[in-house]
Amino acid sequence: MADKPEYVPGLAGVPAARSSVCLINGAEGKLQYRGYPIEQLAEKCTYEQVAYMLLFGEFATDDELKAFEAELARERSLKFRIIDVLKNLPERGHPMDALTAAVASMGMFYPGDHVEDLEFRRLSAVRLVAKLPTVVAAWHRIRQGDNPIEPRADLGHAANFLYMLHGEEPDELTAKIMDVALILHAEHSMNASTFTARVTGSTLADPYAAVASAIGSLAGPLHGGANERVLSLLETIPDSKPENVRRWAEDKLARKEKIMGFGHRVYKAKDPRATVLQGLVGQLFEKFGSSPIYGVATELEKQMEQLVGHKGIYPNVDFYSGIVYEKMGIPIDLFTPVFAIARVAGWLAHLLEQLQDNRIFRPSQIWVGEADRTVP
Ligand code: SDX
């Protein structure tokens, strides 16, 4: 009898797909999208170029990129009934729940013949990449009692999001930093929310349902939800003074409490995205002045390396992103929705790849209960 596969908690290290979308070297802290190093993508590309490359496998030609950008711009607006859905949600609800609700409803407005229709798949992917930023910005305006701001076709993806959020065009540096942050968060192989998208898509559910389920997965504090918790955690360090960091960290670790923004299932070195985000912090501070919390954050990184570096626990993507977003005037509870408007490209890249050679996910289990019992 062939050996039964062993149970692996959290499927750690268990391959769930054959993929060419994203390669991570966790030991060395290296990340590549379709073989391109993240540092080069962050430096040389726009989010639109990276999203196209993730979705369709290669960088667009100039003409293809122009057509893609124009289609994204055309597809940014929302049906008025989706705005009505947002207007009827409780204002104090979490933005990730609003995003889930709006995206789940999209499938009703854009029904397709079937997800096996290649044009329906492609257009659904473009619409989701285009519309998620509009949903997040619209929700933020509506919950404050304001009308949403219509998207502008003359702004890039990142700049348009900030315009719809704040009601004014971002300066060039802020728009560029938003664009880099979206690139850094666009894709990350078989993380929980991407796996969720693949599982839902493997049933041939429509792309809107697959993305809505991925958003729900990303919202969890152990995954994308960590970024909004990092800042509030740093603010619990007594007097926000670096000299109090060591004792604070030792107490947390002694109580086996997870310190948000640290650790990773795959990286056992510093997350390369954290390093790029740290560079962005420096640019923002030069322009807008520094934040004391950054000194506390860098001291915590230093102390954590001494305390748990030997266990492979280093800063992950969520550790510095909050400092960047706060400096850009993004409300803390929108940090994870910003993660979602970036990662939608990665979710869809994996969904399209799954559908190219699909088999519905249905793992097994190890039975630990009783059987053949009699109802009393
Ligand atoms: C993201 O998968 C991805 O790619 C995700 C992501 C992406 O781009 O999609 O990179 C985005 O989700 C980043 C991670 C954001 N989450 C956090 O920052 C939350 C805090 N981190 C931890 O919850 C944890 O590190 C995870 C969830 C990220 C990873 O969990 P694992 O791999 O299941 O590791 P584990 O919980 O089994 O921990 C192993 C050991 C334990 O100690 P021991 O019981 O062995 O003594 O390391 C310790 C843990 O207590 N540990 C931590 C810690 N993370 C792990 N201790 C303190 N603080 C932490 N943050």
Side-chain angles (χ1 to χ4, degrees):
M1 175 97 164
D3 288 344
K4 268 182 169 270
E6 63 170 300
Y7 164 59
V8 181
L11 296 179
V14 175
R18 295 163 57 82
S19 180
S20 60
V21 180
C22 175
L23 177 62
I24 301 173
N25 178 326
E28 297 177 20
K30 290 183 179 168
L31 169 60
Q32 299 181 355
Y33 296 172
R34 295 209 186 274
Y36 296 103
I38 191 67
E39 295 81 3
Q40 291 182 34
L41 296 170
E43 185 192 337
K44 298 180 178 176
C45 300
T46 63
Y47 177 76
E48 291 91 323
Q49 287 174 305
V50 170
Y52 186 100
M53 179 264 288
L54 285 170
L55 289 174
F56 307 116
E58 292 297 342
F59 280 110
T61 63
D62 290 349
D63 289 346
E64 287 167 337
L65 183 61
K66 279 198 186 70
F68 181 61
E69 288 170 341
E71 191 174 20
L72 283 177
R74 279 198 307 276
E75 291 294 348
R76 284 172 179 165
S77 58
L78 297 175
K79 297 276 185 184
F80 77 87
R81 291 212 188 284
I82 293 178
I83 299 287
D84 289 348
V85 166
L86 292 173
K87 285 182 175 174
N88 284 285
L89 297 175
E91 288 157 5
R92 301 175 65 82
H94 195 285
M96 284 297 276
D97 294 326
L99 186 58
T100 304
V103 171
S105 72
M106 273 180 200
M108 302 163 78
F109 294 95
Y110 303 105
D113 299 338
H114 198 280
V115 75
E116 291 181 331
D117 172 334
L118 295 181
E119 176 52 17
F120 172 67
R121 255 186 235 178
R122 186 201 68 80
L123 185 53
S124 303
V126 171
R127 280 175 168 153
L128 283 157
V129 173
K131 295 180 190 299
L132 259 64
T134 312
V135 172
V136 174
W139 168 252
H140 181 57
R141 301 273 302 174
I142 288 165
R143 70 176 176 178
Q144 297 177 106
D146 297 318
N147 280 316
I149 293 174
E150 280 296 312
R152 280 177 43 181
D154 61 323
L155 295 175
H157 198 71
N160 178 62
F161 169 64
L162 292 173
Y163 164 72
M164 294 188 293
L165 191 67
H166 297 314
E168 58 188 38
E169 264 188 67
D171 64 271
E172 200 174 322
L173 174 69
T174 304
K176 173 65 183 159
I177 287 175
M178 185 76 255
D179 200 49
V180 173
L182 294 179
I183 290 170
L184 295 172
H185 288 81
E187 160 57 12
H188 212 244
S189 83
M190 207 52 65
N191 60 86
S193 54
T194 299
F195 181 51
T196 303
R198 286 190 85 127
V199 170
T200 305
S202 76
T203 71
L204 301 188
D206 72 55
Y208 302 98
V211 168
S213 57
I215 295 167
S217 170
L218 184 70
L222 293 188
H223 189 11
N227 61 9
E228 71 172 84
R229 288 163 174 80
V230 169
L231 284 187
S232 42
L233 196 70
L234 290 173
E235 281 159 7
T236 64
I237 292 171
D239 306 323
S240 294
K241 287 195 174 148
E243 56 265 34
N244 296 329
V245 164
R246 174 81 184 205
R247 174 67 186 277
W248 176 90
E250 285 170 341
D251 290 349
K252 283 254 179 240
L253 295 171
R255 292 196 298 269
K256 296 295 278 176
E257 289 179 26
K258 294 282 173 59
I259 299 178
M260 296 288 121
F262 282 88
H264 201 278
R265 174 66 55 79
V266 180
Y267 289 122
K268 300 313 168 192
K270 185 171 178 178
D271 186 327
R273 300 168 294 176
T275 304
V276 178
L277 283 161
Q278 243 180 312
L280 300 179
V281 170
Q283 293 179 48
L284 282 166
F285 283 3
E286 264 177 54
K287 185 171 179 74
F288 300 113
S290 68
S291 308
I293 203 141
Y294 182 65
V296 169
T298 52
E299 179 64 20
L300 179 56
E301 177 178 353
K302 194 173 95 185
Q303 295 304 332
M304 284 288 279
E305 176 154 15
Q306 292 172 17
L307 292 165
V308 288
H310 66 282
K311 294 171 75 171
I313 300 171
Y314 288 91
N316 58 48
V317 66
D318 293 319
F319 186 57
Y320 288 108
S321 59
I323 295 174
V324 170
Y325 294 153
E326 192 190 43
K327 213 67 193 167
M328 290 169 27
I330 296 174
I332 285 183
D333 69 353
L334 293 189
F335 289 3
T336 310
V338 168
F339 195 146
I341 68 177
R343 184 56 56 86
V344 65
W347 292 330
L348 289 159
H350 280 271
L351 175 61
L352 295 176
E353 185 177 68
Q354 178 69 30
L355 292 173
Q356 282 164 4
D357 180 16
N358 185 43
R359 186 166 189 221
I360 189 170
F361 279 94
R362 205 299 185 198
S364 68
Q365 65 179 9
I366 289 176
W367 176 245
V368 293
E370 294 177 57
D372 305 326
R373 302 170 70 184
T374 303
V375 174

